[in-house]
Amino acid sequence: MTDDTTGSLKDLQDIDLRLEQLRSRASEFDPLLAEVEEPSLALEQEVVTLKNRLQEMKVEERRLEHSADDRRARWKKLEERLKSVRNLREEAAVRAEMDLMRQALEGDEQEALTLLDQIRRMEDRLDEQQAALDQAQADVEPRRLQLLEEQKSVMEEYEVLKNKREQYAGLVPVHERQDYERIRGGGRSVAVASLTPDGACGHCFGMIPLQVQNEVRRGATGIACEACGVLLSSGDDLA
Ligand SMILES: [Zn+2]
């Protein structure tokens, strides 16, 4: 910076270009992080699917247990009723109902056993997949933490510089800053360029008319290169 009290557009632009660099560097971490996490994502999905399936099977198993309990209770009632039948026909009817109940009960119990067996196997499979997932995550954890750390430090540098930028912008004369912001607002990164020693625009290197060169060198502001439109500054602050 050439002057302690007045900010130059050139310095402001250097800060802005650095901010753009930092922003772009920070965004480069996202695909890298995604790449690092990718191998464990498939495993993670599989673990979630297994857990959900296991949950459903346990619910179904409990339903079967309840159903069996229910049938046992009804079986007991039928057994009681058998004691008070008044004739053979009634007894036959109760026994027929008990037979059906027993078959249904055996069906429930068989189904519950099969399901319990499936649940045990699925729990083993879940353990294996969970271990594989833990391993996959542990393998990439150092790299992941390193990337996050680097990303954080870039963001921090960005925030610090952004505050500095706000302060510095306040030192630049308002009308100069407005011209600068207007040009940059149009989507251009470079809004100001110094004259080269031989009198060309420092951005497009088109020659600047002598009279305009002199005005710029005397410190006139707000003069744009006719060829490329950037604001011209005297070369003094190039140092
Ligand atoms: Zn130019």
Side-chain angles (χ1 to χ4, degrees):
M1 294 174 199
T2 49
D3 189 322
D4 282 345
T5 51
T6 311
S8 83
L9 284 185
K10 201 72 174 60
D11 287 337
L12 185 62
Q13 176 167 279
D14 285 346
I15 296 176
D16 282 339
L17 291 176
R18 177 72 185 143
L19 281 172
E20 277 173 22
Q21 268 180 6
L22 289 170
R23 204 164 39 219
S24 132
R25 264 187 62 201
S27 71
E28 283 164 10
F29 287 97
D30 292 333
L32 290 176
L33 280 163
E35 203 178 298
V36 161
E37 286 162 2
E38 206 251 321
S40 59
L41 283 183
L43 281 168
E44 205 170 343
Q45 187 52 54
E46 205 173 330
V47 164
V48 168
T49 307
L50 280 173
K51 279 182 178 166
N52 288 341
R53 182 76 192 99
L54 201 51
Q55 182 62 29
E56 287 167 10
M57 287 165 81
K58 284 180 174 173
V59 167
E60 173 63 5
E61 203 274 330
R62 273 197 297 276
R63 191 192 65 75
L64 286 169
E65 297 282 356
H66 284 142
S67 167
D69 287 348
D70 192 40
R71 292 193 208 281
R72 274 185 213 104
R74 282 157 71 189
W75 165 271
K76 276 214 173 328
K77 276 186 188 156
L78 288 170
E79 231 176 3
E80 285 300 310
R81 205 195 296 169
L82 209 49
K83 292 173 188 163
S84 56
V85 290
R86 285 164 300 181
N87 53 46
L88 282 176
R89 203 170 54 82
E90 270 186 31
E91 184 185 340
V94 173
R95 286 201 184 279
E97 208 179 329
M98 287 174 76
D99 273 350
L100 286 176
M101 196 60 68
R102 199 189 59 242
Q103 281 168 24
L105 179 58
E106 283 170 1
D108 280 351
E109 284 171 343
Q110 190 53 50
E111 213 181 317
L113 281 177
T114 308
L115 203 49
L116 278 174
D117 190 44
Q118 286 175 355
I119 287 172
R120 265 193 299 275
R121 271 181 287 148
M122 190 154 293
E123 278 171 343
D124 288 347
R125 171 114 186 99
L126 178 59
D127 286 348
E128 281 169 23
Q129 291 304 100
Q130 184 67 57
L133 173 60
D134 292 347
Q135 186 59 52
Q137 283 174 338
D139 286 348
V140 298
E141 191 60 1
R143 173 81 179 129
R144 198 180 73 87
L145 289 178
Q146 186 199 351
L147 285 172
L148 285 174
E149 190 58 37
E150 284 173 18
Q151 185 180 38
K152 190 172 154 234
S153 104
V154 171
M155 304 287 272
E156 279 168 2
E157 192 181 342
Y158 177 84
E159 288 305 322
V160 168
L161 191 60
K162 196 159 179 291
N163 285 333
K164 197 172 144 198
R165 195 258 182 217
E166 295 311 315
Q167 286 171 12
Y168 190 76
L171 299 177
V172 178
V174 173
H175 63 279
E176 286 187 45
R177 207 168 70 217
Q178 283 168 345
D179 284 342
Y180 172 81
E181 302 288 7
R182 180 174 45 76
I183 294 174
R184 278 181 64 92
R188 306 176 57 153
S189 289
V190 177
V192 54
S194 301
L195 275 179
T196 66
D198 57 350
C201 162
H203 183 57
C204 72
F205 299 104
M207 284 309 292
I208 304 300
L210 202 54
Q211 191 193 336
V212 179
Q213 285 181 37
N214 290 335
E215 284 180 51
V216 172
R217 290 200 203 286
R218 274 198 302 270
T221 57
I223 298 176
C225 165
E226 283 195 6
C228 71
V230 305
L231 295 167
L232 294 168
S233 74
S234 63
D236 301 344
D237 54 11
L238 261 182

